[in-house]
Amino acid sequence: MRLPILVVNFKAYSEAAGRRALEIARAAERAARELGASIAVAPNHVELALVAQSVEIPVYAQGADAEAPGARTAHVAIDNIKAAGASGVILNHSEAPLALNTLSRLVSRARELGLDVIVCAPDARTGLAAAALGPHAVAVEPPELIGTGRAVSRYKPEVITESVRLVSAHFPDVAVITGAGVESGDDVSAALELGTRGVLVASAVVKAGDPYAKIVELARPLARA
Ligand code: G3P
């Protein structure tokens, strides 16, 4: 994972489904190339393979099920994600939380498979616990700000500074990134100034009239960092 990083999470938004997933991923690829910035996209599982085959920037899965590959109808094993061409995975998003033992197993398996691993946490202390599992990055996202347009870096900066303080003191190799409500380049700049190594964003890009222009705005501060 090249830091600092912008991760665009498509979630299950209809605005990022089907061909739109490809369009947004290509917009992210173009912005990454033009700015020299590190940008990853996280399409829905449904479009994961298509996007991974179509762009050269990192493509992350939004999550994975605990089950091992095999007779597991409708489940998506972490091995399936790797086989689909993903280069990373986001685990324990607040919209897809995992039990601790499951999360621990998935982090280990993802690392064995050579995937970049981001573990989400709702607050600083959970972020510290998540860092103990050995991901590449912890993404601290206060759930109450997700999708609100009220950026964590402006409305809850103390969550970021505390996360950076705790994680860097105990697990200096684990990067802290953040997300929730991020909608402008200034929000990203503020997150970086507070000590993070990147930002996770969804609605501001997916719902933008011009996703490419929004990605450029959000990634520009990373390219300067
Ligand atoms: O995974 C990113 C996310 O939860 C933040 O969502 O819509 O507030 O950018 P949003």
Side-chain angles (χ1 to χ4, degrees):
M1 182 183 305
R2 183 159 71 88
L3 299 167
I5 189 167
L6 176 70
V7 182
V8 183
N9 181 0
F10 297 4
K11 302 196 176 185
Y13 280 113
S14 50
E15 293 91 336
R19 300 298 301 176
R20 283 280 295 166
L22 212 45
E23 286 167 23
I24 298 173
R26 289 205 167 113
E29 181 180 47
R30 184 178 152 208
R33 193 175 49 239
E34 290 172 357
L35 295 171
S38 173
I39 304 176
V41 289
N44 192 278
H45 285 336
V46 174
E47 288 91 12
L48 186 65
L50 172 68
V51 171
Q53 286 155 18
S54 306
V55 297
E56 289 182 0
I57 56 174
V59 177
Y60 293 172
Q62 296 176 15
D65 293 323
E67 286 72 15
R72 319 276 185 198
T73 301
H75 289 277
V76 178
I78 199 120
D79 300 60
N80 299 135
I81 280 162
K82 172 77 177 178
S87 58
V89 64
I90 300 168
L91 295 172
N92 200 44
H93 194 282
S94 61
E95 293 154 6
L98 296 165
L100 185 58
N101 58 343
T102 301
L103 178 58
S104 172
R105 219 171 38 243
L106 285 174
V107 171
S108 300
R109 183 65 186 145
R111 292 208 63 140
E112 279 168 17
L113 292 170
L115 294 167
D116 291 346
V117 184
I118 298 174
V119 174
C120 297
D123 55 49
R125 288 170 65 88
T126 314
L128 178 62
L133 300 176
H136 297 90
V138 166
V140 181
E141 299 197 325
E144 65 279 12
L145 295 180
I146 291 176
T148 63
R150 296 166 62 228
V152 57
S153 46
R154 284 186 290 130
Y155 286 84
K156 290 217 161 168
E158 70 285 358
V159 174
I160 299 179
T161 46
E162 183 64 357
S163 302
V164 170
R165 188 183 72 76
L166 286 176
V167 173
S168 60
H170 297 277
F171 303 100
D173 294 341
V174 179
V176 175
I177 63 178
T178 195
V182 169
E183 60 170 14
S184 71
D186 287 347
D187 295 340
V188 174
S189 297
L192 296 176
E193 280 159 22
L194 292 166
T196 67
R197 309 299 315 286
V199 161
L200 223 72
V201 64
S203 49
V205 169
V206 164
K207 295 185 174 188
D210 182 348
Y212 165 74
K214 182 52 74 176
I215 293 169
V216 167
E217 177 190 343
L218 298 176
R220 208 182 285 284
L222 300 170
R224 282 196 296 257

